[in-house]
Amino acid sequence: MLTDFHAELKTLRLTEPFRIGHGTSTQRQMLRVHATRDGITAVGEAPFVPYYKDNPAEALTWAQQWGALIMGGGGASKPVASPSVPRAAKLAFDLLKLDLMGKAAGKSISRLWQDITGARWLSPPRGCRSFSIPADLDEFADKIHEADRTFSVLKLKLGSGSLDHDEMIVARARNVAPAATLIADVNGAWSVTDTAKMIPALRRWRLACIEQPISHDLGIDGWRDLQKLLPAPGIPLIADESAQTSDDVARLAGLVSGVNVKLLKCGGWHRAREMILAARVHGMKVMLGCMIESSIGVTAAAHLAGLADWIDLDGHLWIADDDYEGVCYDKRGQLVIPDAPGLGVTIRKSEI
């Protein structure tokens, strides 16, 4: 029986300004949903990402209107499946249900799903540390040097507005971290012609892949146009904003080498798993990513980490006042996933 449900908007500060091709932000707002059912208390969350232009007030109102009915059972889950449901509400309720389900079974959501499917999931790949677009390359080099002590995979945000500066970012990172796996993420800030120009220029810096170089607004035609201009061999391309659902994965087959799967984009944990399976069917690599969000969302995504080739799950490390704890990294940059029931997150002691 449901004895409590409430939803709230939570604003969290970032450790420093985060700059990507879409703009710069200093905080993140989250939709939080909490429920107590049959004596079990659970939490779900979804972040609001500025470039998605979702409306926090609208998502909160929807959650408050439907939340108790949905979590109370009685066949009231249908509204969550509607296309009109705010993106954040869809994800927040999905994670809330997973947390309840896992806690009721006394198992983490990844262990519970393995029991249900009989699948064996592998250990997660090494963790990745991301860096926003720098203005000061000397300061950036110091950050790369420090991160390289722990993380062997480094993701560099490009799309500064200057192709020369973008290349200098990659060059500086490679010189400071010669053995690191480097990933460039442009967030759609280059044109098709700029991308065709940059890929040969960046080959010397041994990038593992380039993520979303062109705008997702160009659609599939943009990727087709790019492929016509690309030299061979090139640098593997990963679709992020262009790959929102499993259907997008199928449309991108043959045009990109892989996709970035995020819970917010596809609307939930099971849908993310479906995207991963769709990518494998089409012979694609998988990057498991997150938004800048608290440990709630990042930990939920981490339960899928064993299915990915790369994991970009450091969104919580950008949060200055993260009020939950869950997934973390050891001194070798290896992901440590809590084996506690449900999502495996707990309120930080300082927040109690």
Side-chain angles (χ1 to χ4, degrees):
M1 183 177 74
L2 184 72
T3 55
D4 177 65
F5 172 84
H6 66 279
E8 62 179 332
L9 295 179
K10 182 82 174 181
T11 299
L12 299 174
R13 297 177 295 108
L14 305 192
T15 56
E16 61 181 86
F18 185 71
R19 181 188 175 198
I20 63 174
H22 293 294
T24 303
S25 54
T26 58
Q27 62 183 32
R28 276 291 187 273
Q29 196 168 38
M30 318 285 168
L31 173 65
R32 289 267 179 88
V33 288
H34 309 262
T36 300
R37 190 169 70 191
D38 299 328
I40 299 171
T41 298
V43 65
E45 177 186 273
F48 294 98
V49 180
Y51 55 83
Y52 279 163
K53 302 187 185 305
D54 294 330
N55 187 321
E58 177 184 317
L60 177 62
T61 298
W62 193 96
Q64 292 172 332
Q65 178 181 356
W66 288 99
L69 187 61
I70 291 170
M71 299 312 300
S77 60
K78 184 176 180 180
V80 182
S82 169
S84 64
V85 177
R87 185 199 313 263
K90 189 176 295 185
L91 175 58
F93 277 98
D94 183 77
L95 297 189
L96 179 61
K97 290 180 178 180
L98 280 173
D99 199 27
L100 277 170
M101 185 185 306
K103 287 176 176 176
K107 298 179 180 180
S108 68
I109 59 173
S110 51
R111 286 189 179 275
L112 182 62
W113 193 247
Q114 288 178 70
D115 289 348
I116 293 172
T117 62
R120 281 190 61 196
W121 289 4
L122 304 175
S123 298
R126 298 294 288 273
C128 168
R129 193 71 171 100
S130 296
F131 301 85
S132 68
I133 299 172
D136 186 325
L137 289 177
D138 290 334
E139 182 180 328
F140 170 70
D142 290 340
K143 292 179 180 179
I144 290 289
H145 177 71
E146 181 63 28
D148 188 47
R149 296 178 178 179
T150 301
F151 294 92
S152 60
V153 184
L154 307 175
K155 179 186 275 195
L156 316 174
K157 293 289 187 178
L158 306 182
S160 64
S162 165
L163 297 182
D164 289 339
H165 187 64
D166 285 348
E167 184 172 359
M168 284 299 298
I169 292 170
V170 179
R172 198 66 178 271
R174 175 52 74 205
N175 288 334
V176 174
T181 297
L182 296 184
I183 295 170
D185 183 6
V186 191
N187 289 112
W190 292 345
S191 68
V192 170
T193 53
D194 284 345
T195 303
K197 175 183 176 181
M198 287 296 285
I199 286 179
L202 294 177
R203 281 187 59 195
R204 75 187 77 175
W205 306 117
R206 307 192 317 277
L207 288 173
C209 60
I210 297 178
E211 187 178 341
Q212 196 68 39
I214 63 173
S215 172
H216 67 284
D217 291 336
L218 298 176
I220 294 299
D221 288 341
W223 290 102
R224 292 194 181 109
D225 292 341
L226 177 59
Q227 285 296 334
K228 294 175 184 176
L229 299 177
L230 287 180
I235 300 173
L237 299 178
I238 305 297
D240 182 2
E241 288 90 342
S242 292
Q244 301 282 324
T245 67
S246 297
D247 290 340
D248 292 331
V249 172
R251 283 189 284 267
L252 288 162
L255 298 174
V256 299
S257 298
V259 293
N260 189 331
V261 177
K262 297 175 181 175
L263 301 187
L264 182 65
K265 289 195 302 182
C266 59
W269 195 85
H270 295 294
R271 291 186 180 92
R273 180 177 175 274
E274 289 171 1
M275 277 191 73
I276 293 172
L277 296 179
R280 297 310 190 192
V281 167
H282 292 285
M284 294 183 185
K285 295 286 188 179
V286 171
M287 179 181 294
L288 180 64
C290 64
M291 303 300 181
I292 290 185
E293 52 193 307
S294 83
S295 290
I296 298 172
V298 178
T299 303
H303 287 286
L304 292 166
L307 303 179
D309 299 290
W310 299 288
I311 52 169
D312 180 19
L313 299 175
D314 68 341
H316 62 305
L317 300 182
W318 284 89
I319 300 295
D321 50 357
D322 190 357
D323 51 342
Y324 276 77
E325 53 189 357
V327 70
C328 63
Y329 290 94
D330 66 18
K331 294 181 179 180
R332 300 178 296 110
Q334 189 65 46
L335 188 69
V336 180
I337 305 171
D339 195 31
L343 300 180
V345 298
T346 56
I347 300 176
R348 289 188 184 278
K349 292 182 179 179
S350 60
E351 302 292 331
I352 297 176

